[in-house]
Amino acid sequence: PPNTTSILQPMDQGILRQLKVIYKSRLMLDLVADDDKSIIQAWKDYNIRDAIFNIASAWDNIKPENHQKAWRKLMPGNEIIDFDGFKPLGKENKEAEDMLKRFLQDQKNTE
């Protein structure tokens, strides 16, 4: 339905919001950083390359806790301890974990 993306997609609720906040604050700092330029001139000199670097920097500064909060909304009741490995905990995840293992094994066998 229209206007429900942020409700239905956990990444929109936390991670993208945090990314935008960090990006905008870095953008404002860049615009006022050079005392020799006016803000208008700094804005005119701002280009796609600068934007990409600011986005990458903002992404690098999002804390793992923000990722975990977003995933908790997607999978309530599951704590992600090893975010790099996504090791699920609890009995309710055993079936999903077994299904994933079978899928990966099938993929390996078809190659």
Side-chain angles (χ1 to χ4, degrees):
N3 304 319
T4 58
T5 303
S6 64
I7 297 168
L8 300 174
Q9 296 180 354
M11 295 294 282
D12 283 350
Q13 293 177 351
I15 295 176
L16 291 180
R17 184 180 149 282
Q18 188 69 23
L19 178 75
K20 290 175 185 179
V21 167
I22 295 170
Y23 171 79
K24 288 177 184 176
S25 66
R26 289 183 183 278
L27 172 62
M28 292 299 124
L29 288 173
D30 284 350
L31 292 178
V32 298
D34 194 353
D35 291 335
D36 297 335
K37 291 183 187 178
S38 69
I39 292 177
I40 294 170
Q41 186 59 44
W43 187 249
K44 287 180 180 179
D45 292 344
Y46 194 78
N47 57 38
I48 292 175
R49 179 182 176 273
D50 296 328
I52 291 170
F53 279 115
N54 274 346
I55 291 169
S57 177
W59 184 258
D60 289 340
N61 285 290
I62 294 176
K63 297 176 184 173
E65 296 85 32
N66 293 97
H67 293 281
Q68 290 175 347
K69 286 177 186 176
W71 280 101
R72 259 189 241 125
K73 290 178 183 178
L74 183 63
M75 299 174 4
N78 294 301
E79 294 295 322
I80 301 169
I81 292 179
D82 182 7
F83 193 74
D84 291 331
F86 287 99
K87 295 179 182 175
L89 302 173
K91 295 175 186 175
E92 63 275 358
N93 292 323
K94 182 71 175 136
E95 184 179 327
E97 190 174 359
D98 291 341
M99 192 181 331
L100 178 60
K101 286 179 184 176
R102 285 194 304 271
F103 173 76
L104 293 173
Q105 187 62 38
D106 290 344
Q107 292 295 317
K108 198 177 204 181
N109 290 340
T110 56
E111 291 175 356

